[in-house]
Amino acid sequence: MQKGFNPDDLRKISTEIEFVSQEDETVVIGFASDAALAQFESRLATMAEGDGVTNKQVIYALQSIDAWSMEDRKGWALRKHGLPETDEFLLDIELWPLEDNHQKRDQEWTAFEQWLDEKGIEKKDQVKQPGLTLYRVVCDSNQAEQLLRHRDVRSVDLPPERSLIFQGIQNFPEMPNPEEDAPGIVVLDSGLATGHPLLKTAVGDAQSFLPGEGGHDEHGHGTHVAGLALYGDFEHSLLLLCHIPNCINGRARI
């Protein structure tokens, strides 16, 4: 949408629009019904044909419109490896976050879990937080396709490799210091676990800019992001770490 556009104005087009996510000038919206989506698309078609349209100032503010497709919902591992060839397999599902309304979140969770039951998809685990809803499910390829088409699903991916998740800390070699001319990376996030065995040699400094709080990481997100900044494809790097010490490419200072 145009810079400075108020996304609440989209409700002038349809009262059945549900706001899901906003980042910069991009807003992801869901419709309460197929009829509401059809009405929205009809108004866009009317505008494209040059006919009169109500709330045209709102519609003209939209720079481009696209649907969240099956491919958009596929996570990195699923895109790379595809669905397993076994009869049943595990998938990790993330729902769109509805942070501004706990009642709508509860409704979304209840409706999705009822839908899983109806489709015969087994729920193995779940994480429910205001900004994050995850499910681990057991399904077959047909059920996976239905998950990839579900309106409330943001992403579908293969679970991380168990062998990588449960690598013992004793298996990691001592990390070498970055080279003197290594680039510096600044991570502005929830803090940093500066003593983490995979990060400590690359940490230059960690500070807090919030009164009364230290630079340590209470949330874990900042440490996670620092790891991505340092290692990039961590799956590949971890395999190297466990078998070929001192063989990390693109090291940097955090």
Side-chain angles (χ1 to χ4, degrees):
M1 58 188 64
Q2 291 178 354
K3 193 174 183 65
F5 176 75
N6 182 1
D8 286 334
D9 287 343
L10 286 170
R11 288 198 173 94
K12 296 178 181 178
I13 301 176
S14 172
T15 58
E16 293 187 88
I17 284 178
E18 299 176 358
F19 290 96
V20 177
S21 175
Q22 180 175 7
E23 183 175 342
D24 297 326
E25 281 77 57
T26 299
V27 172
V28 177
I29 58 176
F31 292 86
S33 66
D34 289 337
L37 174 59
Q39 183 185 58
F40 180 74
E41 292 176 334
S42 174
R43 291 179 178 178
L44 292 178
T46 298
M47 181 190 71
E49 293 167 0
D51 297 336
V53 61
T54 58
N55 297 308
K56 63 181 180 180
Q57 74 280 5
V58 177
I59 295 180
Y60 285 144
L62 307 178
Q63 299 294 303
S64 63
I65 298 173
D66 199 3
W68 197 253
S69 68
M70 290 178 62
E71 285 301 312
D72 292 322
R73 290 186 173 92
K74 290 181 180 180
W76 178 87
L78 186 56
R79 290 181 183 180
K80 181 178 180 179
H81 302 293
L83 292 172
E85 296 181 359
T86 54
D87 292 338
E88 291 188 332
F89 44 82
L90 291 171
L91 287 178
D92 286 345
I93 312 300
E94 180 184 358
L95 301 188
W96 286 105
L98 301 175
E99 300 185 48
D100 60 338
N101 190 312
H102 70 88
Q103 290 182 330
K104 286 188 176 181
R105 282 199 303 272
D106 290 341
Q107 291 172 1
E108 180 188 45
W109 296 340
T110 300
F112 184 70
E113 290 171 18
Q114 289 176 346
W115 181 86
L116 291 178
D117 288 339
E118 292 171 2
K119 300 300 180 181
I121 300 173
E122 180 185 356
K123 181 181 69 174
K124 299 292 287 187
D125 202 357
Q126 62 188 26
V127 174
K128 293 179 177 178
Q129 299 176 2
L132 181 68
T133 302
L134 301 174
Y135 290 93
R136 178 161 290 176
V137 302
V138 177
C139 64
D140 58 30
S141 57
N142 290 329
Q143 292 165 331
E145 182 173 341
Q146 294 179 73
L147 284 164
L148 286 165
R149 296 181 183 277
H150 195 288
R151 185 201 68 162
D152 294 342
V153 170
R154 184 183 188 278
S155 68
V156 177
D157 210 351
L158 302 173
E161 293 280 348
R162 284 183 176 269
S163 60
L164 301 184
I165 293 176
F166 296 111
Q167 283 290 347
I169 198 69
Q170 69 274 7
N171 294 330
F172 297 138
E174 187 68 24
M175 292 295 97
N177 292 320
E179 298 177 1
E180 288 298 323
D181 60 349
I185 300 174
V186 177
V187 175
L188 184 62
D189 210 296
S190 62
L192 183 64
T194 57
H196 194 291
L198 297 180
L199 300 177
K200 61 182 181 181
T201 59
V203 175
D205 191 18
Q207 298 184 27
S208 171
F209 298 93
L210 298 177
E213 295 191 19
H216 52 279
D217 190 3
E218 297 283 357
H219 186 277
H221 191 270
T223 303
H224 174 72
V225 172
L228 292 175
L230 183 61
Y231 291 100
D233 184 348
F234 187 69
E235 178 183 354
H236 175 70
S237 297
L238 185 55
L239 288 171
L240 291 177
L241 277 171
C242 294
H243 301 290
I244 313 174
N246 303 331
C247 200
I248 303 300
N249 295 322
R251 291 186 57 78
R253 295 182 187 275
I254 303 295

